[in-house]
Amino acid sequence: MRIITGRAKGLRLKTPAGLSTRPTSDRVKESLFSILSGLINFAEVEAVLDIFAGTGALGLEAVSRGAAAATFIDSATTAIIGDNIARAKFEGCRNLRGDFERIMRRLAKEGAAFDLIFSDPPYSRGLAQRSLALAAELGLLKSGGLMIVEHGADETLSGGFELIRAITYGNTTAIKIFKGT
């Protein structure tokens, strides 16, 4: 697992041992960011939120491509995310450990709003739909911003934002890109 392009191009990211996370493959990440590059200018992205961040790969890729800063949320892997942030030498990133719902509510109370939100939860637990609904409910996605939700191909997502793109990778992985209104 590595950062594909930008300031930290080629940086190998630390990953947790075992199967506790299922990081987005470099092939899927490269395809996703190719699509995103046609939809946004990363140099104009002020704030990224990476929910269920795992290694921080999605948020770090966005910062490497020019986003100003990222906030990472994970319940277990914040030490690895912190190490990856330090190794990439990215300033201004927040690394928050805990329950994603509590942290998203706290961010909303702080007045946070994001240009780009990634949500890559464990599949088939309803977390993809919950993170999408909560981001909409709390107003965390800026108007015109994008929310990318990776989920199991058998899961259905709806509501909150305008669906602008749906992609399926193999039998297991699907990604939906939503636009804030």
Side-chain angles (χ1 to χ4, degrees):
M1 169 151 276
R2 64 187 171 81
I3 294 180
I4 297 166
T5 196
R7 294 185 329 200
K9 179 180 179 176
L11 177 69
R12 293 240 173 250
L13 299 174
K14 287 195 173 182
T15 60
L19 300 174
S20 62
T21 62
R22 17 143 235 89
T24 302
S25 73
D26 281 351
R27 182 180 66 83
V28 171
K29 186 170 63 168
E30 192 164 0
S31 174
L32 170 63
F33 275 87
S34 176
I35 292 165
L36 291 177
S37 291
L39 298 172
I40 60 169
N41 178 350
F42 285 97
E44 295 175 358
V45 172
E46 295 175 3
V48 175
L49 178 61
D50 191 345
I51 310 166
F52 308 101
T55 63
L58 296 174
L60 291 170
E61 184 72 37
V63 174
S64 184
R65 289 171 183 249
T71 298
F72 300 88
I73 300 172
D74 202 276
S75 63
T77 60
T78 51
I80 288 170
I81 296 166
D83 191 42
N84 286 334
I85 292 167
R87 292 174 63 237
K89 298 181 174 106
F90 292 157
E91 306 266 331
C93 290
R94 290 177 75 184
N95 184 14
L96 306 172
R97 181 180 181 145
D99 175 74
F100 80 97
E101 291 188 50
R102 280 197 327 264
I103 294 173
M104 288 174 72
R105 289 185 189 288
R106 185 174 90 206
L107 291 170
K109 285 181 184 173
E110 292 172 0
F114 300 90
D115 302 289
L116 192 57
I117 299 176
F118 295 102
S119 178
D120 184 10
Y123 295 170
S124 302
R125 295 186 190 171
L127 299 172
Q129 179 63 46
R130 183 66 190 135
S131 64
L132 176 65
L134 194 58
E137 173 191 324
L138 298 173
L140 289 174
L141 184 63
K142 291 179 182 178
S143 178
L146 300 176
M147 182 165 182
I148 296 85
V149 184
E150 188 171 335
H151 59 93
D154 60 339
E155 294 179 83
T156 304
L157 300 183
S158 63
F161 305 113
E162 174 190 357
L163 176 65
I164 61 170
R165 188 88 184 254
I167 312 132
T168 302
Y169 296 95
N171 296 328
T172 58
T173 303
I175 295 177
K176 291 202 173 47
I177 301 173
F178 296 90
K179 186 173 186 178
T181 54

